[in-house]
Amino acid sequence: MGNFYSAGRDPLFYAHHSNIDRLWNIWKSLPGKKRCDFPDTDWLDSSFLFYDENADLVRVKVRDALETTTLGYDYQRVDLPWLRYKPTPRRPGQGRGRHGHSHDHGRGRGRAVAAETNNAAIIHNIYPIVLDKLVRIEVPRPKKYRTRLEKEEEEEVLVFQNIQLNRDVAVKFDVYINDEDDETPTRPEDSEFAGSFTNLPHNNHHPGVKLDTNMTLPISDLLEDLDVEGDDNIVVTLVPKEGKGLVSIGNIKIDYIRD
């Protein structure tokens, strides 16, 4: 599926994309003000050229394809037991205790701890981070406390800047928050799990082409589940799953996105 010229010949291509489309519909139907399409007009007015059923070339804008019913189809309503499941902290009550940690506001840097065992070594000049092993970074939070209105109108996000890798290599790493127990691996169903970065190899005629991208993960609910909303910092753990040493990260910070 990483080859654009042949992706449509893989039956999995259609099942995968249809399921993502279905999940996006479900997500938008959940309660809450944050469940809405991206409102930026540059994105909404972006357009693509397709051939229709009469082999005529037509231009379609993003805003024309946001509702499946407008496109003439919908998904069957089925029971969704996972909606009733809420992740729980792996070690309840262990989230607190980051109030007194100092951080360097001048450089906007945290401190990183790279570890494969309990014997962790502190890395002082951490950026860019090369993910050749498990890495831990202490990231400062700009806002220690937020009002109820701020929580309703903005999402606290973890931003990974300048993720660099070759487009034609497989890379995957998982992200965990305040997971400092090396004895028992954390799993995606635990509250500490924030998300993953994955690159599907895109083979082309120019091998070695570099990809420089960013990733943003929402963490408001996660911090609430871990009971660390009042802490100065969070500890971000990066666990390389595939492509160790083949990806680097230029910076990690916390930001806030308003509706």
Side-chain angles (χ1 to χ4, degrees), residues 22 32 34 39 47 49 71 77 79 81 86 106 113 143-144 146 166 176 186-187 189 199 202:
R22 182 183 70 91
K34 300 175 184 176
S47 62
L49 295 173
L71 299 174
R77 300 298 188 266
D79 187 36
K86 187 176 180 62
V113 177
K143 296 182 181 180
K144 185 176 178 180
R146 293 189 295 160
N166 287 335
Y176 299 91
T186 304
R187 298 169 297 180
E189 60 265 33
N199 179 65
H202 288 71

Side-chain angles (χ1 to χ4, degrees), residues 114-119 132-134 182 244:
E116 289 183 307
T117 66
N118 287 338
N119 298 319
D132 55 358
K133 61 176 70 69
L134 183 150
D182 291 318
K244 287 185 178 180

Side-chain angles (χ1 to χ4, degrees), residues 56-113:
D56 293 327
L57 194 62
V58 295
R59 183 181 296 274
V60 179
K61 291 184 177 181
V62 169
R63 65 169 70 250
D64 300 327
L66 295 180
E67 298 294 337
T68 58
T69 52
T70 302
L71 299 174
Y73 69 94
D74 200 359
Y75 293 99
Q76 179 184 3
R77 300 298 188 266
V78 297
D79 187 36
L80 303 169
W82 54 267
L83 277 179
R84 299 187 291 272
Y85 173 80
K86 187 176 180 62
T88 56
R90 188 160 59 103
R91 301 176 63 192
Q94 298 298 314
R96 309 296 294 180
R98 297 253 149 222
H99 298 280
H101 280 235
S102 63
H103 39 267
D104 188 337
H105 290 289
R107 291 184 300 162
R109 304 294 197 226
R111 60 174 183 151
V113 177

Side-chain angles (χ1 to χ4, degrees), residues 102-112 124-129 137-142 158-161 232-234 236 249-255:
S102 63
H103 39 267
D104 188 337
H105 290 289
R107 291 184 300 162
R109 304 294 197 226
R111 60 174 183 151
H124 296 283
N125 298 317
I126 64 174
Y127 295 112
I129 301 169
I137 312 100
E138 189 170 272
V139 180
R141 297 178 63 222
L158 187 63
V159 182
F160 295 79
Q161 297 176 310
D232 294 330
N233 315 294
I234 59 172
V236 176
I249 301 171
N251 189 37
I252 303 175
K253 68 175 184 176
I254 288 178
D255 203 352

